[in-house]
Amino acid sequence: MSLLKKLWHFLWHDDSLWSWVVNLVLAFLIVKFLLYPGIGWMLDTDYPIVAVVSGSMEHDETFAVWWGNNKEFYAAYNITQEQFQAFSFSQGFNKGDIIVLHGEEPKAIKVGEVIVYQNSISSYPIIHRVIALEETPQRQFITKGDHNTIVDPQPVTEEQIAQTGVAVFRIPYLGWIKLLFIAMIGGP
């Protein structure tokens, strides 16, 4: 039997522990170095898929009740209920969801869009809604998690979102796989 046939048999037909380990390593390498970068290239972002690791965008109740509890805050930013309901992810999303991102030029980002950005405080990307824009010499974004009671402490700069992007799609609960794995290995 040729070496290639032996390798094929080992990977796809052998039931040994070593075959299982090699398959896991290969799967990891393919996802990490081929699939994830390929999706990132197609979506024009370095982070095409992120898991939601906090409850900062959750809505614990129906939209009507949630809006009743938050309308005064958003009114201060001239955001009406009708405008908010037209925003993407107007119902928020939950810890453990997977969010698919698309790269976006910072100049094209509008109030209401959900952006992902990095800051020096958190080791994880932050997924929050843009509630206002500041046109200083450089555009800055005022952001807030839907569940939070205050805006984020500092405006988000164009550089902070340049390699991430705007949320475009949500896959419920699939991110719990990552969260449970991180918890098992004692991550932050």
Side-chain angles (χ1 to χ4, degrees):
M1 203 188 282
S2 74
L3 180 61
L4 212 49
K5 284 184 179 182
K6 287 180 182 180
L7 180 61
W8 183 263
H9 183 270
F10 175 72
L11 290 174
W12 294 106
H13 301 289
D14 195 335
D15 289 332
S16 71
L17 177 63
W18 281 110
S19 175
W20 186 80
V21 169
V22 169
N23 272 289
L24 266 176
V25 169
L26 280 174
F28 173 79
L29 293 173
I30 289 168
V31 169
K32 174 88 172 148
F33 296 109
L34 292 176
L35 185 63
Y36 193 79
I39 293 170
W41 177 77
M42 289 188 312
L43 296 175
D44 195 27
T45 178
D46 290 346
Y47 299 96
I49 301 169
V50 295
V52 178
V53 299
S54 79
S56 67
M57 288 294 290
E58 291 180 352
H59 291 200
D60 293 332
E61 55 272 314
T62 65
F63 181 81
V65 172
W66 179 87
W67 182 258
N69 293 332
N70 292 279
K71 67 182 172 188
E72 289 179 27
F73 177 88
Y74 289 101
Y77 287 90
N78 298 316
I79 298 172
T80 66
Q81 179 178 354
E82 292 76 26
Q83 288 171 318
F84 197 96
Q85 285 181 299
F87 292 162
S88 59
F89 306 103
S90 63
Q91 301 292 326
F93 41 80
N94 301 312
K95 180 178 181 176
D97 289 351
I98 291 283
I99 303 297
V100 177
L101 307 176
H102 184 271
E104 189 73 57
E105 287 293 322
K107 300 250 183 272
I109 295 173
K110 300 178 286 293
V111 169
E113 290 188 291
V114 176
I115 63 172
V116 176
Y117 66 94
Q118 290 286 152
N119 72 13
S120 59
I121 299 169
S122 173
S123 60
Y124 292 107
I126 298 171
I127 306 171
H128 282 171
R129 187 178 309 280
V130 174
I131 60 166
L133 301 170
E134 289 182 353
E135 298 294 342
T136 57
Q138 181 189 66
R139 184 176 239 200
Q140 294 184 327
F141 306 89
I142 307 302
T143 56
K144 175 187 174 294
D146 289 359
H147 190 79
N148 298 348
T149 57
I150 59 172
V151 297
D152 294 341
Q154 298 173 336
V156 177
T157 65
E158 291 181 358
E159 288 83 25
Q160 288 176 282
I161 60 170
Q163 300 301 311
T164 54
V166 174
V168 294
F169 188 72
R170 171 183 166 248
I171 304 169
Y173 309 115
L174 193 58
W176 277 107
I177 295 168
K178 176 183 179 178
L179 297 179
L180 292 172
F181 180 75
I182 289 170
M184 284 188 327
I185 63 170

